[in-house]
Structure formats: C-alpha cells, structure tokens
Amino acid sequence: MVNLDLLYKPVSKTAGGSVGRLIVASNRVPVPSNSGAPAAGGLAVALQAALRVRGGVWFGWSGKTAAEAESRDLAKKTVGPITFAVADLTRRDVEEYYHGFANRVLWPICHYRLDLAHMSERCAEGYFRVNEFFARRLARLVAPDDVIWIHDYHMIPLAEALRRQGVKNRIGYFHHIPWPAPATAQALPHYERLLRAFSAYDVVGFQTQPDADNFRDCLIEAAGAKPRAGGRVEAYGRSFEVEAFPISIDPESFALEARLAERNSLVKRLRASLEGRDMIIGVDRLDYSKGIKHRIEAFGAYLEASPEAAKARVTMLQITPKSRSEVPEYARIQREVAEEVGQLNGKFGDVDWTPLRYINKPLSQSALAGLYRLAKVGLVTPLRDGMNLVAKEFVAAQPPEDPGVLVLSQFAGAAQELEAALLVNPYDIGATAAAIARAVAMPLGERQERWGDLMRVLRDNSIDHWTRRCLQAIAGVAEDEAGSSLHPAGEVVRSGVISGAEPWFCAQSLPHLRN
Ligand code: GDG
C-alpha cells in the first residue's frame, strides 16, 4: 500500500523556510457529508490526500443558487487540516456560466462538436463574470506561500482574475477534457481572450501529448508564442509550462474493491441472472461525447453478423447515469439512446432474453467494480474523451486468471497509453462490431498477455504518481528548476516587472468535480 503522506510531502519551501498550503479550485467541491462518508472517486481521494498532508483549502461552487450571491458569506467546513469553502451563485450565473458557456460552448467545441455549440455573448460574459466573482472570493483565502491548483474548463480565466486581485502565487491548471487542434479551437468565442487567460498560469496541464501540442500550436498561431526548452512557452509577455499529465486511478485499490465486490448483493444478482452467458459492459455518463448511440449500433451489427452470439445470448449491460439534463442537447441524447435501446431489443430480443440491459441510475463504486469484473468485454468507445477513467477501472477490476478484454476508442486519451487494448474507430460500426466479436472469442493466453501489458501501464502511472507530478510542476521544482527560477510566479518576461497584476493583465480582460 502506498504511503500517501510521503508522496505528498511538500515539494517547495520559500526562502524563509515556510511551507505553503495547497489550494484546490474546481467547479464542484466534494464537501464531506455529516455522515463522514469518504469521498467517492479516485481523483477526489487523491486531491484530499494531498490537501491533508500540506493543509489547505478546496474552493468552488456550492451547487446551490441564491438570489444575491455577492453579499453572501462562503459556506465553510473544516475537517482536520482541510477547509472546504463554497460559494453560491445566482440563477443567472448558473444559466450563463455553467449551463451556457461551460457546458454548451467549451464542452462541445473541446470535444470537436462544433455542430452542438450554442454561441451566446450573454453566456460568454457570464462565464468571465463568474470567474471574476470566484477570484474575489478565493483571493481572500490565499496566503503568500500557498500553491494554487485550478481544475477544468469552467475556470480557465480564474488565474488571470486572481492576478488582477494581486495574487502572485504559483498557479497551475489541469484541463480534464481534450484540447482541439487550432482549426477547431478557433471556433471558440473569445478565443484569444481565453488563450491569453491561460498565460496567467505557471503550469497548464493536459491529458495527452497531442492535446498539449494542439494547445501550443494555438498559442503559436494566434499569439506568435515561442516554444522554449522544458515544455515552456513564451506568450503574451509571460513564460509558462505546457505539459501532458495523463490522469489515472489507483489500480491496486480498485482491484481490491472489485475482488471484494464479488460478495456485493447486486453483483450476485447480476451473475445469477446471466446464467453463465457472456456479458459486455459499458459505463458512461449520458453524454453525446461518449458514443453510446454508435456503440449500441455496433452491438446490433455484432449480433446481426454473429448468429452464434445470438444463440449464446451474449448480453450487453449499459450503465448510464443521466447528466446535465437541463441542457437541451443532453435531453435529446437521452431520448435518442432510449429509442435505440428499444429498437435493438425489439429486433433481437426473445421472451427469455433482453440483449441490451440499459440502466439510467448511478450505482455504488463497489457495485460498479464488481460488474466490471464479471464482464468478458469492456466497451469504451467515446467519440472523443480527455482520458476516460472507465477504461482504466475496467482493466484494474479484471481477475488475472481470466481477464476480460478492453475494446477502446482510438479517440479516448486513454488510447495513448493503453495500446494493448483492441483499439477501434467508434464511427466505424462494422469495425467496432468485428472488434467485439474478436474480444468475445479471444483465447485465454492472448487475453492474459494483453491484460498484463495494460496493468503494467496502470501501475507505472497511478493517480498518486499523477498528483505528485502535477504538484511538483506547479511548485516549479521538477524537471525545470532553472527555468522556473528565471521566471518565478507572476514575472512579466518582457517588461522585467515582477508583479502578478501588471498592465498585460489589465489590458484585456474543476463523478466528480463538475457535474
Ligand atoms: C472527465 C473527462 C477524464 C460512472 N457511472 C457511475 C460512476 N461513474 C464513474 C466512473 C468513472 C467516472 O464516473 C467517469 O469518468 P470518465 O473519465 O470516464 O469521464 P468524465 O466524467 O467525462 O470525466 C474524462 C476525467 O474527467 C478525469 O480527468 O478521464 O475524459 O471527460 O470514475 O467509474 N461511478 C459510480 N456509479 C456510476 O453509476 N459510483
């Protein structure tokens, strides 16, 4: 078992020898419940471990609305060395910043779905306004030595807004979703304003190297940025690091959870109901980026092409908790997927066989781990995904003596690492159907070999490793000590003025952290 306290021991000390706290900011904050139930999900657990060791604050939106947000106090809860501090937003803020710009502009465009982007100047202004509001609230909590780590696309302008409040600390950002190539990214409203906002960070992290490269290309094309050694770029008068940090899970504890879940009553019920038939599993939030409709079509094509599969009554279980139902594009995909499920079952089903079992409610992580372990095939076929942790969880949950096979979209960030999966183009229904057939029929030896390779990747880059790498980079002590001492936090390269609130800031204007 990894000793998290050792992993997250502070990596930086200031000249005076004091050690800064960690401040995490994300759209949603896992404020512990009064029951004392632990945070669910690997990322929340890992961030809390880091916060526990250094002490610190987790800041974000409360998920609640209030008639007047500005005058309200932050709701705070302190558990040991961690303070959870959350702010309410007004209904208009939520509409414009969250549903409007974050979920109807940034999310679709970063997932290459320009056709689903809903441009609105009102929502764009709301997005920047709410980030200013967050910055005013957060700046009051920041002490000089603190290190700040901001998560995800809801909060891109937060560092820039903090700098305007005079915050000079080291600030890092992690983008959990893809960053598209310039030709697509240019469709973002306020494109250059967003790019400039990134330059207020000391480190900007992406899931994969192609994402980091895309981002760097955007800076070069739009701002004449200059790439420098050690992954640094100079843009908008500032030098900062752009790096790939592929997020992961804790494979050992997930494997343990899956083993223990064999005793879970839901898992037992499913096993009994399968009566020895092979099961294929899909687990996704109900989101158009996850490729659920294409996947159902591919399962249908597989059943069509493999009469033996229909005879063997191979069964697919698709677990799909609803998400963002207030956004019209999500309400539509909800209807469309339900219709596809009905059609498939109508076409292939029998009085004693429902080929596709479709569940809209969320299950416990333990049940999920146990279900992955029961499945012969994990079907993870997003049309585009920053990483996709389901792919990694499926691998970790497999029994080594009889592992299932991962069929993985080439457009998931996870495909960059999980090369031993069966990689597919999810738009190619025939090819995905063929990959399902190959996975179901794969001999034990090949399954074990592929699984061994996949597990090695997970063990080499666990969530703890990811957290430590990110924090070291943000603290500016990892690979590029010289670079960071040349350009400490807040330094303006060309003007030579060391201040986080210099004119370039004034010239323009984080299942789990988000839903
Ligand atoms: C974003 C990026 C990136 C799902 N259903 C249930 C449930 N889940 C859990 C899974 C997994 C998580 O939700 C989903 O994570 P993903 O990575 O697959 O996808 P997003 O939610 O889109 O996350 C993504 C991620 O951020 C991290 O950086 O990988 O690319 O889009 O952990 O297990 N958990 C429970 N019940 C469910 O029914 N308990």
Side-chain angles (χ1 to χ4, degrees):
M1 206 54 162
V2 183
N3 182 341
L4 295 174
D5 288 2
L6 288 176
L7 274 174
Y8 301 134
K9 70 177 186 301
V11 290
S12 71
K13 286 191 176 186
T14 62
S18 61
V19 169
R21 302 172 307 166
L22 173 62
I23 310 248
V24 172
S26 59
N27 179 55
R28 287 297 182 89
V29 178
V31 181
S33 66
N34 288 333
S35 69
L43 176 58
V45 171
L47 290 180
Q48 286 195 40
L51 280 162
R52 242 191 332 272
V53 174
R54 301 175 66 126
V57 178
W58 194 329
F59 170 87
W61 174 34
S62 62
K64 296 184 194 140
T65 55
E68 184 38 75
E70 190 78 42
S71 60
R72 288 171 74 99
D73 289 336
L74 289 176
K76 289 188 189 157
K77 181 169 191 171
T78 299
V79 182
I82 312 176
T83 297
F84 299 86
V86 291
D88 295 344
L89 293 176
T90 66
R91 219 174 272 285
R92 174 179 161 222
D93 287 342
V94 175
E95 192 48 45
E96 296 174 357
Y97 146 83
Y98 181 62
H99 296 313
F101 197 74
N103 287 339
R104 295 188 84 185
V105 174
L106 287 168
W107 178 273
I109 293 178
C110 285
H111 287 85
Y112 294 75
R113 292 299 302 268
L114 303 191
D115 57 318
L116 297 181
H118 187 84
M119 314 277 183
S120 147
E121 189 51 29
R122 183 176 58 86
C123 293
E125 287 311 321
Y127 176 76
F128 287 99
R129 182 187 70 240
V130 168
N131 273 283
E132 290 288 341
F133 164 76
F134 281 150
R136 284 193 297 278
R137 290 314 184 81
L138 180 55
R140 289 180 225 154
L141 305 178
V142 178
D145 299 336
D146 293 344
V147 162
I148 304 171
W149 191 7
I150 296 171
H151 286 261
D152 230 356
Y153 60 100
H154 312 85
M155 295 185 160
I156 294 169
L158 186 53
E160 186 182 55
L162 284 168
R163 301 288 187 213
R164 269 194 289 274
Q165 296 291 316
V167 172
K168 299 186 175 86
N169 304 51
R170 299 276 303 179
I171 312 181
Y173 169 84
F174 186 75
H175 194 70
H176 288 257
I177 64 177
W179 185 267
T184 301
Q186 281 159 10
L188 286 165
H190 295 275
Y191 177 53
E192 293 207 34
R193 187 175 173 187
L194 286 167
L195 286 182
R196 183 184 284 270
F198 275 110
S199 70
Y201 289 96
D202 295 291
V203 179
V204 178
F206 293 94
Q207 296 277 21
T208 66
Q209 198 54 51
D211 289 331
D213 292 344
N214 284 341
F215 179 72
R216 217 175 277 118
D217 290 346
C218 288
L219 286 175
I220 293 169
E221 281 191 29
K226 297 196 173 45
R228 299 289 185 223
R232 303 189 73 83
V233 285
E234 270 180 37
Y236 301 108
R238 206 161 180 278
S239 165
F240 56 103
E241 187 178 338
V242 174
E243 194 62 77
F245 300 95
I247 200 169
S248 195
I249 61 166
D250 178 343
E252 307 301 346
S253 66
F254 206 88
L256 177 65
E257 183 147 34
R259 270 201 309 280
L260 295 176
E262 284 177 357
R263 297 200 292 263
N264 181 300
S265 65
L266 186 142
V267 176
K268 283 186 182 159
R269 270 166 47 214
L270 176 69
R271 184 202 295 279
S273 75
L274 285 172
E275 297 172 328
R277 285 170 267 165
D278 286 338
M279 180 178 79
I280 297 168
I281 194 166
V283 176
D284 317 77
R285 277 185 308 100
L286 189 37
D287 193 300
Y288 50 78
S289 67
K290 301 293 183 184
I292 304 167
K293 278 171 59 183
H294 293 70
R295 186 182 312 160
I296 293 172
E297 232 184 287
F299 179 58
Y302 159 69
L303 292 178
E304 188 101 62
S306 323
E308 65 282 9
K311 213 163 136 214
R313 316 218 140 172
V314 174
T315 299
M316 177 165 160
L317 174 64
Q318 177 65 46
I319 299 164
T320 306
K322 288 182 186 166
S323 82
R324 306 177 197 170
S325 306
E326 306 85 346
V327 175
E329 291 75 30
Y330 287 76
R332 190 162 71 232
I333 188 86
Q334 215 162 290
R335 282 195 304 277
E336 289 173 359
V337 170
E339 213 172 285
E340 289 255 344
V341 173
Q343 272 168 13
L344 184 139
N345 282 333
K347 182 168 176 189
F348 297 101
D350 212 332
V351 288
D352 56 354
W353 177 46
T354 304
L356 177 51
R357 302 182 188 183
Y358 177 58
I359 297 176
N360 270 154
K361 66 179 177 195
L363 304 179
S364 71
Q365 185 172 288
S366 159
L368 209 56
L371 299 185
Y372 287 138
R373 193 175 173 87
L374 273 187
K376 182 123 201 217
V377 179
L379 211 41
V380 184
T381 55
L383 303 178
R384 197 58 74 163
D385 219 327
M387 177 52 62
N388 196 298
L389 294 179
V390 168
K392 295 187 170 183
E393 291 166 358
F394 174 80
V395 170
Q398 295 310 302
E401 66 287 356
D402 185 21
V405 179
L406 175 64
V407 175
L408 178 62
S409 164
Q410 67 190 78
F411 301 123
Q416 299 288 319
E417 296 170 275
L418 302 182
E419 292 168 346
L422 293 183
L423 296 183
V424 293
N425 172 355
Y427 292 94
D428 188 337
I429 304 300
T432 307
I436 298 174
R438 186 172 165 205
V440 171
M442 191 178 283
L444 178 62
E446 184 179 349
R447 281 189 279 133
Q448 285 178 319
E449 200 174 313
R450 285 176 181 274
W451 178 79
D453 289 349
L454 295 171
M455 261 323 255
R456 215 163 298 124
V457 172
L458 297 188
R459 289 188 179 117
D460 286 350
N461 177 33
S462 68
I463 183 78
D464 302 326
H465 181 246
W466 176 83
T467 312
R468 190 172 32 156
R469 263 193 78 209
C470 292
L471 284 174
Q472 283 181 337
I474 298 169
V477 296
E479 295 92 349
D480 191 19
E481 192 113 32
S484 64
S485 61
L486 277 174
H487 306 299
E491 181 174 348
V492 178
V493 177
R494 287 188 200 110
S495 72
V497 181
I498 300 180
S499 163
E502 286 305 310
W504 69 271
F505 286 109
C506 309
Q508 31 70 51
S509 68
L510 223 214
H512 50 120
L513 304 182
R514 134 174 3 117
N515 297 293

